[in-house]
Amino acid sequence: MSCRISKGALTTLHGFRTKPFDYFSYCCQLLEACIVSKSLNQGKIIHQNLLKYPHFHNKNNSSVLLLLDKLTKLFIACSKPELARRVFNSIPISQRKNKIILWNQLIRAYAWEGPFKRAIDLYHEMGQCGIQPTKYTYPFVLKACTGLQDIETGAKIHEDAEKHGLGSDVYVSTALVDFYVKCGCLSDARKVFDIMPQRDVVAWNAMISGYSLHGRYHDVIDLVVEMQEMGVTPNSSTAVTILPMIGEENKLTVGRAVHGFCLRRGFNDDIVVGTGILDMYGKCQQLIDARRIFAAMSSKNEVTWSAMIGACITCDCTLEGLEVFQQMRVEDGGSPSPVTLGIVFRGAAKLTDLELGIQLHGYSIKLGSNLDLMVANTLLSMYSKCGMIDDAMKFFEEMDFKDSVSYSALISGCVQNGIAEYALKIFRKMQLSEVEPELATMMGLLPACSHMAALRHGYCGHGYSIVRGFTSDVSIANALIDMYSKCGKIHVARLVFDQMHRRDVISWNAMIIGYGIHGLGAEAISLFEDMNTVGQRPDDVTFIGLLTACSHSGLVAEGKHLFCTMNQEFGIVPRTDHYLCIVDLFGRAGLLDEAYKFIQQMPVEPDVRIWNALLSACKVYKKIELVEEVSNKIQNLGPESPGNFVLLSNIYSTMGRWDDAAQIRVMQKGLGFIKSPGSSWIEVNGVVHAFVGGDQSHPQAVKIIEKLLQLLSEMKKLGYNAESDFVYQDVEEEEKEHILLYHSEKLAVVFGLLNLTDKKSILVTKNLRVCGDCHAALKYITIITKREITLRDTVRFHHFHNGTCSCGDFW
């Protein structure tokens, strides 16, 4: 009979009740048609009519049992497991025991549609009824355990399968492998896989998928090779499984080999395979190949369009990606999914095009996609990257639901926009909301700790990362090296570095840069030699770190040698930042003529930063004859930051040219440059306290000033004299001493002395370069208090101990 049920057939159903057998037989035929066509409404009408018929309630009638069987199957076919379960439960238990296929179909329906717990309950009910599960039961109930991430129940079901002699069945074993890998138990999955007596392509794909899911690229490739050696040919699902990982690892040669295999097998006609190949080329920065694949595809779905848009954005052709998005809207017609919108928002963030981002935000609201958590999180990231952190925070507060990605995006945004203290507050709020921090969260938090020199928060972040197993990730270990280096614990940074099982070039660079900012140039060079020994190729950032380390340690000859070998031995062409390092190297060493000559011979046009480095050296070494020429160069190029104006103004003030200094300040104000006030901060018992020069608003201000005056008296007895050259206002000497006394780093250090135990060292961070007077004063304070003081300014670390500084007065 036809799979469609006519209105006439249902009308006949109402009047056709002469004989129960004929009536039930007719209903069975109609229900069979409903099952094939998945006609839920017609099936419900038949069910309603049956319920009105008295003979239908005789559960001993074989025809009635057949109808209940058909009704259960109908509701399962129409994805209504709860209705199916009610009908199924109306079958007498004595008859249900014989319907193992229905049990399995119901468990499968719950495993696909949910609630997953119902599938597990049904499985247990089978056992209570004395029904032995079959090899088809286990894959379905294990899928439900996967959905719940219920490892304990899944492991018990594994034991049941072994007891019933089905543990080695290919279907059951494959389901177990899939369950374990998706629950993060790779070792358990591999144990099951290794003892399988036979493994088909589905079993291999399950194990390969597990390794791919957990980022185990080399294991994936080894397994694919082993699979073929065992005589099992990869299929299209194998290709789809491994292509994303190949793209993530940027293994273009392997990707091309997989593409060739798909062409030979004819898999490339499959839209899913074609999309995977397109996506792989995009991630490998091969946009031309991605375009060719896209153009050749006879049919495209939204995933294909999204992959092409993503490829354009990844390959820095974001405008082209937005054009593809417009083309998709015209050709595809449907509303874009949250995934597609998320990719487009990422493009707007990459362009830092706020206007476009706001338009897309409005578009997502019209579609209702702004309620989707993934879209909301991408919007957060977009506003942050466009510098609109206030809007990001406002949007964050308006979100009905927040997950770890939401918090991570805002924490990273705060750090990127220079308000690391807010990042720490957001993290504390995250902990109070009981949202579990993920790896990405720690990647945002650790830089915030670095910026604020919040060592206690850094320690906690490190401990949490160890507990969660994040420290095995190279990027987290690199962030820890950077954090400890910038929190003054260079020896702890080295411990983290030495304990890494795998290092990339960023790991080596982080450690070299760490040594550099601590003035440990010899250690940085030694590490560079180790880097060469193990075969890790340096990049341009490596040499910036090395040259900076040489500059801060007075290693002029070593710095010149490294600058030469950079191009000659490693083929790295120097860029402006490398030239800046050499000018700084010569300038700090007092070789101003050599620095000036080097600038004149540079193959690239010197920018403001290079002239500014020379001007700083002129100030330190009082090379007045060069000041005018260099300052004119800066004026002609146009100062790029308040620092250039401040330096020029300070030099003129030191020379007593107050009118010229005032003119520079007027020019600075006219161009809209605002000088950042000198500020310092210190972490005490997990709380970061900030101080601004001359500010007396801190709750302990009275005690701080009393202690400062007491220290000043003792410092003068030891020979301290205020270095008034570092006051750039035209005031009396007595007033200059008063101004110097209340510099922010002195206030922070004294606060530390008052609030930290006697033996605890003090770590202070400053937003500007430390002045010479504070540098001298801190030496005296270490003698008086017998306390070690570490100061991190914008250039480097100064470790003060017993009247000396680690910089050797070379900063």
Side-chain angles (χ1 to χ4, degrees):
M1 66 182 292
S2 171
C3 290
R4 296 183 63 84
I5 301 177
S6 67
K7 187 176 180 181
L10 292 175
T11 304
T12 303
L13 179 68
H14 284 287
F16 182 30
R17 292 185 179 176
T18 54
K19 294 180 182 179
F21 175 78
D22 293 334
Y23 183 66
F24 289 158
S25 177
Y26 186 63
C27 287
C28 273
Q29 292 178 51
L30 292 178
L31 285 172
E32 190 62 45
C34 289
I35 292 168
V36 174
S37 62
K38 297 184 179 179
S39 303
L40 178 62
N41 289 334
Q42 286 93 335
K44 283 183 175 180
I45 292 171
I46 296 167
H47 190 195
Q48 288 167 4
N49 277 276
L50 284 168
L51 289 170
K52 294 174 185 175
Y53 195 50
H55 293 289
F56 180 68
H57 298 285
N58 181 7
K59 300 297 169 61
N60 293 319
N61 187 312
S62 59
S63 296
V64 171
L65 292 173
L66 182 60
L67 284 168
L68 292 173
D69 186 288
K70 296 285 185 187
L71 282 165
T72 304
K73 288 178 179 176
L74 168 68
F75 291 135
I76 290 172
C78 294
S79 302
K80 297 293 181 181
E82 285 296 291
L83 292 177
R85 180 75 182 275
R86 284 186 212 162
V87 176
F88 182 68
N89 284 345
S90 70
I91 300 172
I93 187 65
S94 58
Q95 296 297 321
R96 262 185 283 160
K97 286 183 179 181
N98 303 321
K99 296 186 178 292
I100 186 66
I101 294 174
L102 270 187
W103 285 93
N104 287 344
Q105 287 179 342
L106 259 177
I107 291 171
R108 180 181 63 182
Y110 279 126
W112 280 100
E113 303 294 334
F116 302 131
K117 181 85 169 47
R118 297 292 181 89
I120 297 170
D121 291 342
L122 262 177
Y123 169 79
H124 290 311
E125 190 179 323
M126 282 179 75
Q128 291 163 4
C129 293
I131 304 169
Q132 185 169 316
T134 67
K135 66 180 181 180
Y136 301 109
T137 312
Y138 290 106
F140 304 144
V141 72
L142 285 168
K143 180 174 176 60
C145 292
T146 301
L148 293 169
Q149 291 288 288
D150 189 346
I151 299 171
E152 186 178 350
T153 301
K156 287 177 181 176
I157 291 169
H158 184 184
E159 291 174 8
D160 291 348
E162 295 287 351
K163 287 176 188 175
H164 291 121
L166 292 171
S168 58
D169 180 85
V170 66
Y171 296 111
V172 176
S173 297
T174 301
L176 284 165
V177 169
D178 184 69
F179 160 69
Y180 280 125
V181 298
K182 288 178 179 174
C183 288
C185 305
L186 272 182
S187 58
D188 293 307
R190 190 63 200 244
K191 284 175 188 174
V192 174
F193 181 78
D194 286 341
I195 62 174
M196 288 177 70
Q198 66 176 109
R199 291 174 287 206
D200 60 10
V201 68
V202 180
W204 285 94
N205 285 347
M207 196 67 238
I208 290 167
S209 174
Y211 281 135
S212 180
L213 193 67
H214 291 83
R216 302 267 289 269
Y217 170 77
H218 295 290
D219 289 313
V220 167
I221 299 303
D222 290 344
L223 211 55
V224 172
V225 171
E226 184 186 345
M227 172 186 188
Q228 294 174 91
E229 289 173 348
M230 297 294 288
V232 180
T233 303
N235 62 10
S236 59
S237 295
T238 317
V240 170
T241 299
I242 65 176
L243 280 167
M245 168 147 283
I246 291 169
E248 293 292 343
E249 294 289 322
N250 198 20
K251 301 292 183 181
L252 180 60
T253 305
V254 178
R256 290 197 189 282
V258 175
H259 184 189
F261 175 82
C262 292
L263 286 171
R264 291 192 298 274
R265 294 276 170 177
F267 297 157
N268 57 300
D269 293 330
D270 184 313
I271 190 171
V272 179
V273 175
T275 301
I277 293 169
L278 187 164
D279 181 65
M280 178 273 295
Y281 279 125
K283 287 174 179 172
C284 289
Q285 302 282 320
Q286 302 297 309
L287 187 57
I288 293 173
D289 292 298
R291 288 193 194 112
R292 286 174 182 162
I293 298 296
F294 184 73
M297 292 178 72
S298 56
S299 61
K300 304 176 180 75
N301 58 21
E302 189 178 350
V303 180
T304 312
W305 286 97
S306 297
M308 190 63 231
I309 296 166
C312 293
I313 292 170
T314 301
C315 296
D316 293 324
C317 292
T318 303
L319 291 174
E320 181 183 340
L322 297 176
E323 289 172 6
V324 174
F325 175 63
Q326 294 296 341
Q327 185 185 349
M328 170 193 163
R329 292 175 63 190
V330 172
E331 294 186 20
D332 196 49
S335 298
S337 71
V339 174
T340 307
L341 283 174
I343 293 170
V344 176
F345 280 132
R346 183 160 59 89
K350 199 167 187 178
L351 286 173
T352 60
D353 189 334
L354 183 62
E355 185 178 349
L356 173 64
I358 292 171
Q359 289 175 1
L360 289 169
H361 187 180
Y363 179 60
S364 71
I365 291 172
K366 288 180 183 177
L367 294 174
S369 294
N370 67 307
L371 301 175
D372 183 89
L373 184 60
M374 191 200 71
V375 172
N377 289 340
T378 314
L379 273 168
L380 267 180
S381 180
M382 184 271 294
Y383 280 123
S384 297
K385 288 178 180 176
C386 290
M388 305 298 290
I389 193 65
D390 289 339
D391 290 306
M393 286 183 173
K394 182 181 177 184
F395 183 71
F396 177 82
E397 293 300 330
E398 291 171 354
M399 288 171 65
D400 293 327
F401 180 74
K402 306 173 184 75
D403 62 1
S404 65
V405 179
S406 317
Y407 283 98
S408 300
L410 192 58
I411 288 168
S412 296
C414 289
V415 175
Q416 291 163 9
N417 287 277
I419 48 173
E421 63 273 21
Y422 283 97
L424 298 179
K425 290 178 182 177
I426 297 294
F427 182 71
R428 283 195 289 272
K429 188 174 182 179
M430 180 181 187
Q431 291 176 304
L432 292 172
S433 67
E434 296 184 354
V435 175
E436 190 115 324
E438 298 294 337
L439 188 146
T441 317
M442 306 315 295
M443 284 300 297
L445 177 71
L446 291 171
C449 297
S450 299
H451 180 80
M452 297 296 295
L455 184 60
R456 185 165 174 177
H457 287 86
Y459 277 140
C460 293
H462 189 181
Y464 180 80
S465 298
I466 291 171
V467 171
R468 289 293 304 275
F470 295 157
T471 49
S472 60
D473 186 273
V474 175
S475 59
I476 284 288
N478 293 344
L480 285 167
I481 292 169
D482 180 72
M483 184 272 293
Y484 281 120
S485 297
K486 290 177 179 174
C487 287
K489 300 293 182 180
I490 191 67
H491 62 289
V492 182
R494 183 59 192 255
L495 284 173
V496 174
F497 178 84
D498 288 340
Q499 290 170 6
M500 291 177 72
H501 299 297
R502 185 169 67 90
R503 305 184 187 102
D504 58 14
V505 68
I506 298 171
S507 316
W508 293 90
N509 290 350
M511 198 66 238
I512 287 170
I513 291 168
Y515 278 135
I517 61 175
H518 283 269
L520 301 170
E523 286 83 351
I525 293 170
S526 175
L527 191 64
F528 175 64
E529 291 168 354
D530 292 342
M531 184 180 185
N532 290 326
T533 302
V534 301
Q536 175 65 63
R537 188 167 182 80
D539 61 10
D540 57 339
V541 177
T542 313
F543 284 95
I544 290 173
L546 286 166
L547 294 172
T548 302
C550 291
S551 177
H552 289 166
S553 304
L555 303 175
V556 177
E558 291 84 347
K560 290 169 71 174
H561 172 72
L562 286 166
F563 184 77
C564 293
T565 58
M566 181 174 81
N567 193 5
Q568 294 171 1
E569 292 186 22
F570 298 99
I572 298 172
V573 178
R575 52 187 173 91
T576 304
D577 287 334
H578 298 100
Y579 291 111
L580 173 62
C581 289
I582 293 296
V583 172
D584 191 61
L585 174 72
F586 290 145
R588 288 179 190 278
L591 304 172
L592 302 188
D593 292 333
E594 191 168 351
Y596 188 57
K597 184 179 178 182
F598 178 82
I599 293 172
Q600 291 177 315
Q601 294 175 347
M602 280 169 50
V604 297
E605 192 69 27
D607 63 10
V608 173
R609 295 177 302 151
I610 287 175
W611 290 114
N612 192 59
L614 182 58
L615 189 64
S616 296
C618 291
K619 175 178 179 290
V620 172
Y621 290 99
K622 305 192 186 311
K623 191 83 170 178
I624 304 304
E625 61 272 19
L626 259 180
V627 168
E628 288 291 344
E629 186 175 348
V630 175
S631 65
N632 287 334
K633 296 280 187 184
I634 293 174
Q635 298 286 3
N636 291 334
L637 288 170
E640 62 175 17
S641 70
N644 303 125
F645 287 106
V646 172
L647 182 59
L648 279 170
S649 173
N650 290 349
I651 288 174
Y652 285 134
S653 297
T654 304
M655 296 165 62
R657 293 168 57 176
W658 301 108
D659 291 340
D660 291 328
Q663 187 178 352
I664 292 293
R665 287 195 291 272
V666 170
M667 189 187 302
Q668 171 189 337
K669 188 175 181 180
L671 292 172
F673 286 102
I674 301 171
K675 180 195 172 193
S676 299
S679 60
S680 300
W681 54 94
I682 180 173
E683 184 190 47
V684 174
N685 298 324
V687 179
V688 178
H689 296 260
F691 297 87
V692 177
D695 181 31
Q696 297 182 26
S697 61
H698 193 277
Q700 294 188 31
V702 175
K703 290 182 179 179
I704 291 170
I705 293 168
E706 286 177 2
K707 184 67 175 178
L708 261 176
L709 293 171
Q710 178 192 335
L711 286 170
L712 178 62
S713 175
E714 294 182 52
M715 285 158 55
K716 286 183 174 180
K717 292 175 185 177
L718 293 174
Y720 165 78
N721 285 306
E723 298 187 27
S724 57
D725 285 350
F726 292 99
V727 176
Y728 305 110
Q729 289 122 298
D730 188 13
V731 294
E732 298 297 325
E733 287 298 314
E734 186 178 340
E735 179 63 18
K736 288 183 179 181
E737 183 179 285
H738 179 80
I739 291 170
L740 289 169
L741 184 63
Y742 297 123
H743 273 193
S744 64
E745 53 265 63
K746 291 192 184 86
L747 296 173
V749 165
V750 171
F751 177 78
L753 291 171
L754 291 171
N755 291 278
L756 293 171
T757 57
D758 290 342
K759 293 183 180 179
K760 195 162 185 178
S761 60
I762 293 169
L763 170 62
V764 170
T765 304
K766 184 171 183 180
N767 69 330
L768 303 174
R769 193 174 177 181
V770 62
C771 79
D773 179 76
C774 287
H775 193 268
L778 293 181
K779 290 182 190 177
Y780 285 106
I781 291 173
T782 59
I783 296 172
I784 296 164
T785 62
K786 303 288 189 287
R787 187 85 71 101
E788 290 186 6
I789 299 171
T790 297
L791 174 67
R792 189 187 94 190
D793 66 11
T794 53
V795 177
R796 60 166 297 156
F797 273 87
H798 301 266
H799 298 279
F800 298 94
H801 172 70
N802 198 27
T804 63
C805 179
S806 60
C807 73
D809 297 336
F810 187 85
W811 86 97

